[in-house]
């Protein structure tokens, strides 16, 4: 089935723009669904209120969405009372933007640093931050409501390829870089760098937290997937099975599954707790043998993301297609065309998929399905129980297999 187009946001173009500078490597939604951010190519990040963006799609049709957003949204005023009113911002980051991540604070989550007597910033419940990873290795932290620069983090020596905030509201930020390292930052401690995670033999392309913030997954220019214990800052295990660079990863909403995308034309769905591949979604038929999967072809998978119902995965490949997969079916349930797609992510409520390409963003309605009561119960259990504990439950084998996503 063909997925329904919701809208598109087109980056403004100039006659002197070079096409190679307009790649949109990153799209992000705020945790509360209030904002959408994307890199328009070059140094520019656009921040738009997502609800107003959707309204403009409905009012003006899919083609005029970008113009409607840029002309009709109110600009940020200087009054303090306007701070939390969603307003559009255009941010010049000073260098090419490779990665974006939103972070929100929970005041009860204290900083992990020893000296907690004084900090420059007091992050409250209403704080919303945007982290931008740049070509020169810097990470800039912005206040989403005002568009002001708060912090400038400068320890990476190469491109910051990906960023992810811990979902628990602690404002712990992890950055993945071409300098072969991951770095852990504590924004509640004024951006103090807490730890450097080493182990990748080459560039690190992506990283993702588990929903409970206890595990970090990282992938890069090697065939292995790395899992890290974020309480001890040590490596838990490597997952091996891909035949080429692994470029993207994301945990399912209950933390029971991990999806990884690779240049070997495959998306694997793992049980990260025991390192087993549960599903394989192929983008080339017949699947290439390991020696051919390691080379260039037109089916490299660029991005993968999990839907919020825990039942669907979206993937984006070089064959100019976006695919929606059900985790219990072999073939895509919906597809959509997209040239030169580089990144994709689901909206906060899971109803829309956003994909970036050449400075612009395209949106599709996601497969809508009412989750079964069994699946909702499975997700509730798996949020608090790893695979090893589930297998020790005194319940029938078929129920254990279902809870472990093996049937």
């Amino acid at each position: 089935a063909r997925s329904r187009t919701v809208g598109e946001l087109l980056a403004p173009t100039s006659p002197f723009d070079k096409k190679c500078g307009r790649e949109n490597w990153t799209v992000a939604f705020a945790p509360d669904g209030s904002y959408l951010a994307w890199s328009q190519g070059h140094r520019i990040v656009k921040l738009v209120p997502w609800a107003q963006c959707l309204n403009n799609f409905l009012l003006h049709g899919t083609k005029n969405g970008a113009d409607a957003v840029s002309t009709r949204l109110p600009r940020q005023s200087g009054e303090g009372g306007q701070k939390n009113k969603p307003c559009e911002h255009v941010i010049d980051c000073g260098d090419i933007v490779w990665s974006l991540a939103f972070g929100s604070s929970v005041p009860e989550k204290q900083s992990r640093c020893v000296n907690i007597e004084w900090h420059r910033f007091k992050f409250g419940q209403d704080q919303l931050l945007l982290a931008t990873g740049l070509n020169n290795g810097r990470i800039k932290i912005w206040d989403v409501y005002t568009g002001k620069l708060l912090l400038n983090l400068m320890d990476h020596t190469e491109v910051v390829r990906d960023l992810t905030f811990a979902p628990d509201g602690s404002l712990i930020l992890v950055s993945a870089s071409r300098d072969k390292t991951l770095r852990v930052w504590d924004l509640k401690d004024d951006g103090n760098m807490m730890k450097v995670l080493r182990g990748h033999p080459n560039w690190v392309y992506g990283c993702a937290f588990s929903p409970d913030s206890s595990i970090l997954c990282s992938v890069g220019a090697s065939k292995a997937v790395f899992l890290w214990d974020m309480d001890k800052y040590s490596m838990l295990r490597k997952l091996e099975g891909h035949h080429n660079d692994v470029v993207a990863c994301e945990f399912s909403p209950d933390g029971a599954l991990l999806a990884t995308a690779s240049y070997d034309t495959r998306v694997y769905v793992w049980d990260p707790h025991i390192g087993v591949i549960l599903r394989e979604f192929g983008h080339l038929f017949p699947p290439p043998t390991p020696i051919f999967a390691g080379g260039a072809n037109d089916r490299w998978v660029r991005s993968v993301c999990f839907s919020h119902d825990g039942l669907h995965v979206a993937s984006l490949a070089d064959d100019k297609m976006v695919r929606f997969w059900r985790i219990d079916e072999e073939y895509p349930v919906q597809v959509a065309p997209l040239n030169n797609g580089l990144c994709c992510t689901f909206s906060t409520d899971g109803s829309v998929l956003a994909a970036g390409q050449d400075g612009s963003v395209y949106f599709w309605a996601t497969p809508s399905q009412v989750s079964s009561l069994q699946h909702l119960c499975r997700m509730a259990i798996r949020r608090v129980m790893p695979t090893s504990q589930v297998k020790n439950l005194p319940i029938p084998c078929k129920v254990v297999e279902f809870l472990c996503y093996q049937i």
Side-chain angles (χ1 to χ4, degrees), residues 151-163:
L151 292 168
N152 196 351
L153 312 179
M154 300 179 291
D155 268 292
H156 282 297
T157 58
E158 287 279 353
V159 171
V160 180
R161 191 63 186 81
D162 199 15
L163 295 165

Side-chain angles (χ1 to χ4, degrees), residues 1-3 283 298-303 314-325 332 334-344 353 355 364:
R2 179 66 64 92
S3 184
H283 295 67
D298 61 353
R299 298 292 193 280
W300 279 5
V301 188
R302 295 283 178 178
S303 186
S315 66
L316 195 154
D318 282 350
D319 61 356
K320 304 178 182 178
M321 296 292 287
V322 177
R323 293 171 173 84
F324 295 93
W325 312 78
Q334 286 186 16
V335 297
L338 179 68
N339 289 336
N340 303 321
L342 296 171
C343 61
C344 64
L353 180 80
W364 295 275

Side-chain angles (χ1 to χ4, degrees), residues 28-35 50 307-308 345-352:
F29 287 94
D32 61 358
S34 59
Y35 275 92
W50 176 234
S307 73
H308 296 253
T345 187
F346 282 95
S347 60
T348 307
D349 65 359
S351 63
V352 173

Side-chain angles (χ1 to χ4, degrees), residues 232-295:
K232 302 176 181 176
Y233 301 116
S234 60
M235 191 185 300
L236 276 175
R237 64 179 63 88
K238 287 184 188 179
L239 308 181
E240 297 183 332
H242 279 297
H243 302 296
N244 202 338
D245 293 358
V246 191
V247 293
C249 59
E250 187 163 278
F251 283 90
S252 63
D254 60 2
L257 303 174
L258 172 69
T260 57
S262 169
Y263 287 165
D264 66 6
T265 75
R266 298 171 174 92
V267 167
Y268 285 155
V269 178
W270 308 77
D271 184 326
H273 303 284
I274 57 176
V276 173
I277 298 172
L278 300 177
R279 304 281 186 276
E280 177 184 325
F281 299 134
H283 295 67
L284 182 61
F285 300 96
T289 59
I291 189 170
F292 289 106

Side-chain angles (χ1 to χ4, degrees), residues 22-248:
R22 297 214 63 88
E23 284 95 346
N24 173 4
W25 289 101
T26 177
V27 178
F29 287 94
D32 61 358
S34 59
Y35 275 92
L36 164 75
W38 81 98
S39 60
Q40 291 194 336
H42 306 301
R43 317 183 317 186
I44 304 302
V45 170
K46 189 78 171 281
L47 268 167
V48 296
W50 176 234
Q52 295 182 48
C53 186
L54 276 178
N55 288 337
N56 280 310
F57 288 153
L58 295 173
L59 289 172
H60 303 279
T62 62
K63 298 296 182 185
N64 300 321
D67 297 333
V69 166
S70 59
T71 56
R72 292 176 176 269
L73 290 183
R75 293 290 174 179
Q76 179 72 31
S77 73
E79 299 174 15
Q82 295 289 317
K83 181 181 178 184
N84 292 327
K85 185 177 180 181
C87 294
E88 174 189 349
H89 297 290
V90 177
I91 297 174
D92 186 342
C93 295
D95 204 347
I96 295 172
V97 180
W98 283 86
S99 50
L100 295 172
F102 282 98
S104 56
S105 171
V106 175
E108 305 84 66
K109 284 281 184 181
Q110 296 297 323
S111 168
R112 294 190 184 184
C113 74
V114 177
N115 175 25
I116 58 172
E117 294 176 9
W118 180 87
H119 295 296
R120 278 194 297 164
F121 302 107
K122 301 295 182 187
F123 293 111
Q125 189 86 46
D126 61 344
Q127 194 83 33
L128 184 61
L129 306 179
L130 179 70
T132 56
L134 306 181
N135 194 68
N136 58 10
R138 295 191 178 189
I139 302 166
K140 292 188 176 181
I141 311 297
W142 310 83
D143 185 317
V144 170
Y145 300 127
T146 64
K148 292 181 179 177
L149 178 64
L150 299 179
L151 292 168
N152 196 351
L153 312 179
M154 300 179 291
D155 268 292
H156 282 297
T157 58
E158 287 279 353
V159 171
V160 180
R161 191 63 186 81
D162 199 15
L163 295 165
T164 183
F165 276 97
D168 61 5
S170 62
L171 288 184
I172 298 296
L173 173 70
V174 175
S175 54
S177 171
R178 286 185 181 174
D179 64 13
K180 306 179 186 178
T181 68
L182 297 133
R183 294 174 191 254
V184 185
W185 314 82
D186 185 352
L187 297 196
K188 288 193 175 182
D189 186 24
D190 298 334
N192 176 47
M193 192 185 72
M194 302 161 58
K195 194 71 177 178
V196 180
L197 303 179
R198 305 181 190 274
H200 280 270
N202 214 317
W203 292 359
V204 190
Y205 284 136
C207 53
F209 268 104
S210 62
D212 65 359
S213 305
S214 66
I215 299 175
L216 179 81
C217 174
S218 63
V219 297
S222 65
K223 301 171 186 177
V225 177
F226 291 71
L227 295 178
W228 308 84
D229 181 331
M230 292 308 286
D231 291 323
K232 302 176 181 176
Y233 301 116
S234 60
M235 191 185 300
L236 276 175
R237 64 179 63 88
K238 287 184 188 179
L239 308 181
E240 297 183 332
H242 279 297
H243 302 296
N244 202 338
D245 293 358
V246 191
V247 293

Side-chain angles (χ1 to χ4, degrees), residues 12-22 42:
T13 57
S14 303
F16 53 83
D17 270 342
K18 294 182 179 179
K19 184 176 176 61
C20 63
R22 297 214 63 88
H42 306 301

